[in-house]
């Protein structure tokens, strides 16, 4: 089968489309023929081994797992002998754990706990746009953010891969959502349900006198005192990303109880089922910016790394009829 492989850390130039052995499912695994995948920040963090801590996970000098790609949408080709939830021919979607990436490929073997049936209303491309970004939004809002119905919630970076899910998932909790984005993305962020939109090129959400119960930050470009100023007395700020290591360390060291990093998002069945229901009910619909082929994964990663994506960057691996 064809797969994107990298044998050294570096820029997207290290990614190569290669012929590799097709994996065989273990007893509890499902072999999925992949129709679509999508690119996430995790792919380029691992590819570049940035920050340096990534090397502790995936090899100090060179990558142990030479494949990338977490999100998968495709059709079950074969199942291991202990698999109970799926059979050949099922259309599925899900997210590979960060230490088992490999969905930038024609086939992948996934534990059955990593997959769910694909919602029929979604194309494979749409389904592939969902898992890791939606896990991040859901876990950041719910677990670190303690989101509650009726709250005033602000999403910084509302137009990106994670932010477009965060806006919709926060709305599904019955909150009043303010999305922060630039001028060109205001209509899109409104169209996915934001009650208010702040154009960060014209207005600073930490200086306009508004206070929020929950800030979910998918950019990570603000100081702890900025967040504190924009929070209500019992408010919480859940930070998913960061624009520099100094921002990361500041949040870790000075954030206190109210401002903190969310835990690294984890693929898991319970949350996949919650997200599947949100997709089926139409409360969440993925926003797709661009679509690339498997061969074009390096270009897709280069585009994502620029930090200007409007929703998700999807990889079409095979056409399905
Ligand atoms: N903790 C975790 O487990 C976890 C998991 C996944 C991702 N993350 C992190 O979450 C962050 C977001 O990921 P992503 O996939 O959503 O990234 P992304 O899709 O690349 O985000 C791009 C978006 O950010 C917007 N943006 C850039 N600067 C902004 C600013 N100053 N204010 C508001 N919006 C701004 C851009 O809009 P404009 O072009 O209009 O500025 C663009 O729409 C990344 O740092 C990633 O590493 C963390």
């Amino acid at each position: 089968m064809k797969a994107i492989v990298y044998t050294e850390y570096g820029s997207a130039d290290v990614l190569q489309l290669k012929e590799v052995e097709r994996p065989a499912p273990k007893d509890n695994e499902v072999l999925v023929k992949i129709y679509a995948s999508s690119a996430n920040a995790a792919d380029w963090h691992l590819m570049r081994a940035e920050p340096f801590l990534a090397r502790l996970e995936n090899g100090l000098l060179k990558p142990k797992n030479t494949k990338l790609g977490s999100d998968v949408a495709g059709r079950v080709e074969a199942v291991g002998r202990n698999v109970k939830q799926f059979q050949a021919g099922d259309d599925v979607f899900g997210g590979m754990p960060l230490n088992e990436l490999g969905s930038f490929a024609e086939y992948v073997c996934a534990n059955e706990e990593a997959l769910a049936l694909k919602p029929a209303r979604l194309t494979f491309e749409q389904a592939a746009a969902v898992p890791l970004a939606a896990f991040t939004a859901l876990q950041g809002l719910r677990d670190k953010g303690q989101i509650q119905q009726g709250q005033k919630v602000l999403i910084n970076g509302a137009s990106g891969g994670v932010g477009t899910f965060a806006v919709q998932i926060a709305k599904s909790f019955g909150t009043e959502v303010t999305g922060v984005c630039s001028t060109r993305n205001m209509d899109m962020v409104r169209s996915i349900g934001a009650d208010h939109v702040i154009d960060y090129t014209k207005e600073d959400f930490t200086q306009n006198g508004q206070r929020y119960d929950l800030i979910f930050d998918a950019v990570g470009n603000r100081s702890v005192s900025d967040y504190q100023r924009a929070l209500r007395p019992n408010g919480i700020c859940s930070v998913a990303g960061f624009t520099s290591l100094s921002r990361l360390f500041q949040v870790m060291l000075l954030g206190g109880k109210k401002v903190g990093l969310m835990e690294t998002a984890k693929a898991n069945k319970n949350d996949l089922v919650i997200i599947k229901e949100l997709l089926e009910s139409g409360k969440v619909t993925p926003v797709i910016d661009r679509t690339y082929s498997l061969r074009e994964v390096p270009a897709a990663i280069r585009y994502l790394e620029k930090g200007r994506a409007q929703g998700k960057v999807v990889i079409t691996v095979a056409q399905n009829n």
Side-chain angles (χ1 to χ4, degrees):
M1 69 163 188
K2 291 196 170 54
I4 293 289
V5 172
Y6 73 124
T7 51
E8 56 182 324
Y9 295 124
S11 72
D13 296 346
V14 301
L15 303 178
Q16 293 175 296
L17 184 67
K18 282 206 166 155
E19 199 64 41
V20 300
E21 202 175 326
R22 187 164 126 178
K26 299 194 189 99
D27 290 351
N28 58 353
E29 283 182 346
V30 174
L31 175 67
V32 181
K33 176 176 167 54
I34 300 177
Y35 287 119
S37 181
S38 80
N40 290 285
D43 295 310
W44 63 259
H45 282 300
L46 282 163
M47 176 189 83
R48 288 186 179 271
E50 282 176 16
F52 191 80
L53 281 179
R55 290 178 190 253
L56 298 182
E57 297 280 327
N58 200 32
L60 219 47
L61 300 176
K62 55 184 190 163
K64 279 189 285 197
N65 177 7
T66 56
K67 295 209 194 100
L68 293 172
S70 171
D71 296 330
V72 46
R75 187 160 293 159
V76 174
E77 182 96 352
V79 297
R81 66 165 91 168
N82 295 338
V83 168
K84 301 211 166 48
Q85 303 166 45
F86 302 102
Q87 56 187 28
D90 285 346
D91 289 344
V92 293
F93 79 125
M96 304 297 294
L98 291 180
N99 56 351
E100 292 174 29
L101 298 187
S103 66
F104 295 160
E106 291 179 312
Y107 293 86
V108 73
C109 282
N111 189 296
E112 67 174 330
E113 291 303 313
L115 300 171
L117 290 175
K118 178 182 80 64
R121 71 179 274 269
L122 265 56
T123 62
F124 286 100
E125 273 83 4
Q126 287 177 310
V130 176
L132 183 53
F135 284 136
T136 308
L138 175 64
Q139 292 166 22
L141 289 165
R142 180 195 60 195
D143 302 344
K144 172 72 194 165
Q146 300 287 307
I147 191 167
Q148 305 287 335
Q149 186 176 1
Q151 284 185 329
K152 273 181 74 173
V153 177
L154 179 130
I155 312 292
N156 191 30
S159 55
V162 173
T164 47
F165 287 103
V167 168
Q168 298 178 76
I169 291 173
K171 281 301 296 175
S172 80
F173 278 91
T175 62
E176 182 184 328
V177 174
T178 300
V180 180
C181 61
S182 67
T183 318
R184 69 191 182 118
N185 289 317
M186 292 179 75
D187 287 345
M188 183 264 274
V189 171
R190 257 188 223 109
S191 77
I192 56 173
D195 301 287
H196 316 280
V197 180
I198 293 177
D199 180 348
Y200 73 79
T201 67
K202 303 209 169 96
E203 186 178 341
D204 181 342
F205 73 88
T206 71
Q207 299 284 355
N208 64 3
Q210 295 290 319
R211 302 269 185 280
Y212 299 91
D213 301 295
L214 170 56
I215 296 172
F216 176 72
D217 193 352
V219 182
N221 58 338
R222 308 309 302 243
S223 67
V224 168
S225 57
D226 283 344
Y227 295 129
Q228 285 166 340
R229 198 177 320 113
L231 284 174
R232 284 179 167 168
N234 292 322
I236 295 176
C237 175
S238 167
V239 182
F242 45 88
T243 48
S244 66
L245 279 180
S246 63
R247 287 275 177 237
L248 167 75
F249 289 126
Q250 201 203 31
V251 168
M252 285 170 70
L253 297 173
L254 306 176
K257 280 193 186 144
K258 286 166 63 171
V259 177
L261 297 179
M262 66 172 283
E263 278 185 32
T264 304
K266 285 186 191 62
N268 70 88
K269 185 78 157 203
N270 282 347
D271 287 350
L272 189 59
V273 170
I274 292 171
I275 291 162
K276 177 177 182 277
E277 285 166 4
L278 290 170
L279 294 164
E280 282 168 343
S281 68
K283 288 182 177 161
V284 171
T285 300
V287 178
I288 295 178
D289 177 352
R290 294 184 181 189
T291 304
Y292 293 83
S293 67
L294 185 60
R295 178 175 298 282
E296 293 168 332
V297 163
I301 298 284
R302 280 186 202 105
Y303 175 64
L304 186 67
E305 281 191 290
K306 288 191 186 133
R308 302 269 83 91
Q310 300 169 284
K312 287 286 301 180
V313 175
V314 165
I315 313 298
T316 301
V317 177
Q319 298 296 334
N320 107 293
N321 41 23

